[in-house]
Amino acid sequence: MSPSRPKGAPEAGARPARRWRKGRGDAGRTPLSGAQRALLAASFLITLGSFAVLPYMSVLLHRRLGLGLGAVGFVLAVASLIQFAGGVVAGPVAGRIGLRRAMLLALALRTAGFAAFVPGLGSPALAVGALLLVSAGAALYLPANKAYLVDGASDAARPRLLSASGSAFNAGMALGPPAAAPLVMGSPGALFACVTVLFALVGAGHALLPREGSGGGAGGRSTAAPQTPTGALPTPPDTPLTPTATPTTPAGAPPTPGAALPARGGGERQDRVPGGAATAATPVRDRLTASPGLSPFVVTVLSVYAFMFFQHYLALYAVPRTSAGFYGAVLTGYAALLVVAQPLLAERVAALGYPAAQWWGFGAMAAGMAAIGAGGHAGIAVGAALLCLGEIVLFLKNDLEALARSTAAPASVFGRQRLAAGIGAFGAAVVGGQLYGAAETAGSARGFWVAVGLQCLLLPVFLLFRRRTARDPAEPRAATP
C-alpha cells in the first residue's frame, strides 16, 4: 500500500479549494493601501467638522440671523445646488489638474468658507456667502475623493471601497452633531474657528498623498493595459456601445472566454449575478438593455429629493419638540448605523436588481417619514433608522449602477451623480421650505412628514411605469436579428 495515494488524494481535493478561496480574496478582499486608509481617515475628519455645523444651519439662519423660513429654504436650496450640481464641473477639473490637486483646492475653499463664518455670524450676507463657499468646496472635493479611492481598483472591489467611504463619512456624522451641540447656539464663533483649524490640518495631510496612477496611489498601482497572449489578435480600440450595437463577432462563433467590454476608468462591463459573479455568455445587447428606462441619473435625482426633506427639516421639527441634545443623539445613532450596516449590506445591495432596490429604498423612506410624523422621541428615532436603510440601498446602488453603465472616467461619473443629487436637493429645499411653512402655519407640522411619505410611496410606482413604457416599445426591436 503506497503512502503517496492517501496523502495525494486529500491534497488534490484541497488544492482547488485553496485556489478558490484565494481567487475570492483577490477579487473582493484585497487589503487597503496606505493611501486608501489615509483618505478614509481624512474623510472621517472632514465629515466630523462639516457635521459639527451644517446640520444646524437652518436653526442658525432662522433663529440667530433672523431669516424667514422661505428665505432659509431658498438659501439651503442654492447651497445644495452648488454643492451637488457643481460636481459636474469637478470631473473635468479633476481630469485637468489631477485628483489630488482637485482635493487640495477644494479643501482650501472649504477652509476659507468656515473661516468666513466667524465674522459672518453678525452679518446674514457674509454668513450666506460663507455657506456658498463651503458648498463650492464640497462640490469639487467629493467626486475627486471617490475617484481617487477607486483609482486602479477592480470592478469587484468597488462595492467594498465605496461602502467603506460611506462608513468613513458617516462616522464623522456620528460624532459631529453631539460634539457641537453645547456650542452651536451659545458660542458658534469658537465652533467655527475649531472647524477651520481642522480643515487646514486635513488639507495639509492631503498634500502628502501620492499622485494617482503613480504606482503608490489610491489603488496601490497604476492602471495597466490588459495583457494580450502571444499570437493573439489585438483587442479593438475603445468604442462606446449603444443599446442597439452588437460586437462584431462572426456569425455562429462562440464568445471569447474571459472577454470584457472596454471601459475607461477601470470599469468592467460584465454581467452581474447574485454574489457578484460575472458571466461572459450573455449577449452584449441584452446586458446593456437589462433595465431600460431606469437611468441612474433620474433615480438619483428622485432619491436625493426624497431624502433631503429629512436632512434639511428634521432639525426644525425635532429640536423644539425634543431638544438639541436629542437631535444630536439621533444623528449620531443614524450615522453609527450607517457605519456598521453599509459595509455589511454592500454585497447584498450590489446583487439586488435595480427595480428591487428602488422598491426597498423608497419603501423604507416612506415608512421612516410616517414614523417621524407620528411624533415623539420614539417616532423620530425609528423614522431615522428606516431612512438610514433607504439611504444605504438607494445611494450605493445608484453609484454602482452609474459606474457599471458608463465608459467615462470615475471622476466624471461621480460628478454627474453629484449633479443629479444637486437637482434633487434643490427641489427638496425649495418645495420643503414652502411646504413646511404652510404646515406650520396650519398648526400641523406632522402633516409635512405625511405629505413627504406619500411622495416616497409614489416614486417607485412612477419609476416602474417609466421602465415599462421604455421596455415595451423596445421588445419588438430586441427580437429582430
Side-chain angles (χ1 to χ4, degrees), residues 254-349:
T256 304
L261 295 180
R264 300 183 186 93
E268 297 171 6
R269 295 274 191 175
Q270 293 177 324
D271 263 0
R272 304 295 194 277
V273 297
T279 172
T282 306
V284 173
R285 182 170 59 188
D286 292 347
R287 296 206 298 266
L288 295 182
T289 59
S291 299
L294 293 178
S295 164
F297 186 91
V298 173
V299 180
T300 300
V301 169
L302 297 176
S303 301
V304 177
Y305 169 79
F307 175 76
M308 290 304 285
F309 287 103
F310 166 78
Q311 185 74 29
H312 282 323
Y313 297 104
L314 183 63
L316 287 174
Y317 180 79
V319 171
R321 289 164 178 80
T322 55
S323 65
F326 177 76
Y327 171 66
V330 167
L331 292 186
T332 300
Y334 182 98
L337 183 59
L338 272 176
V339 170
V340 174
Q342 193 170 49
L344 296 176
L345 297 176
E347 292 184 3
R348 292 179 181 270
V349 171

Side-chain angles (χ1 to χ4, degrees), residues 370-459:
I372 293 173
H377 293 71
I380 293 172
V382 170
L386 289 168
L387 280 153
C388 177
L389 175 61
E391 179 183 352
I392 289 172
V393 174
L394 285 175
F395 288 17
L396 178 58
K397 188 64 177 180
N398 288 339
D399 278 352
L400 291 173
E401 195 77 7
L403 280 172
R405 294 188 186 196
S406 178
T407 59
S412 296
V413 174
F414 290 126
R416 287 195 295 267
Q417 287 297 97
R418 296 291 293 177
L419 171 61
I423 296 171
F426 181 86
V430 171
V431 174
Q434 302 301 320
L435 186 60
Y436 195 93
E440 198 172 62
T441 301
S444 177
R446 293 180 178 180
F448 169 82
W449 301 103
V450 174
V452 175
L454 288 175
Q455 291 183 81
C456 294
L457 282 177
L458 293 174
L459 286 175

Side-chain angles (χ1 to χ4, degrees), residues 3-348:
S4 61
R5 290 186 64 186
K7 289 182 182 178
E11 185 179 352
R15 190 174 295 122
R18 282 199 297 269
R19 286 199 301 267
W20 178 79
R21 286 194 299 267
K22 185 175 185 296
R24 287 190 64 187
D26 289 345
R29 299 297 177 188
T30 304
L32 297 177
S33 69
Q36 286 173 332
R37 292 191 183 95
L39 194 64
L40 292 175
S43 300
F44 162 74
L45 293 175
I46 286 170
T47 317
L48 174 68
S50 298
F51 273 77
V53 291
L54 295 181
Y56 300 101
M57 196 54 60
S58 60
V59 178
L60 285 172
L61 293 175
H62 181 53
R63 294 193 175 181
R64 185 177 181 90
L65 295 175
L67 295 181
L69 283 175
V72 169
F74 181 75
V75 169
L76 292 178
V78 173
S80 297
L81 185 63
I82 292 174
Q83 177 176 343
F84 291 103
V88 75
V89 181
V93 170
R96 187 172 185 84
I97 69 175
L99 298 176
R100 187 186 63 169
R101 288 181 179 177
M103 289 190 288
L104 288 172
L105 176 59
L107 289 172
L109 291 174
R110 301 196 79 183
T111 302
F114 284 118
F117 266 114
V118 178
L121 291 170
S123 168
L126 189 55
V128 170
L131 177 61
L132 299 183
L133 192 59
V134 169
S135 299
L140 179 59
Y141 180 81
L142 291 172
N145 174 288
K146 286 187 176 182
Y148 187 95
L149 187 65
V150 301
D151 179 54
S154 68
D155 203 38
R158 284 175 171 176
R160 186 170 67 103
L161 288 172
L162 292 177
S163 64
S165 175
S167 293
F169 278 114
N170 288 292
M173 289 173 59
L175 296 179
L183 298 175
V184 68
M185 297 305 294
S187 303
L191 176 62
F192 279 107
C194 292
V195 172
T196 300
V197 172
L198 176 63
F199 268 81
L201 293 175
V202 171
H206 275 64
L208 303 177
L209 289 174
R211 295 171 63 181
E212 63 277 6
S214 62
R221 64 188 184 277
S222 59
T223 304
Q227 299 297 321
T228 303
T230 304
L233 293 175
T235 303
D238 286 3
T239 302
L241 293 175
T242 64
T244 58
T246 55
T248 56
T249 303
T256 304
L261 295 180
R264 300 183 186 93
E268 297 171 6
R269 295 274 191 175
Q270 293 177 324
D271 263 0
R272 304 295 194 277
V273 297
T279 172
T282 306
V284 173
R285 182 170 59 188
D286 292 347
R287 296 206 298 266
L288 295 182
T289 59
S291 299
L294 293 178
S295 164
F297 186 91
V298 173
V299 180
T300 300
V301 169
L302 297 176
S303 301
V304 177
Y305 169 79
F307 175 76
M308 290 304 285
F309 287 103
F310 166 78
Q311 185 74 29
H312 282 323
Y313 297 104
L314 183 63
L316 287 174
Y317 180 79
V319 171
R321 289 164 178 80
T322 55
S323 65
F326 177 76
Y327 171 66
V330 167
L331 292 186
T332 300
Y334 182 98
L337 183 59
L338 272 176
V339 170
V340 174
Q342 193 170 49
L344 296 176
L345 297 176
E347 292 184 3
R348 292 179 181 270

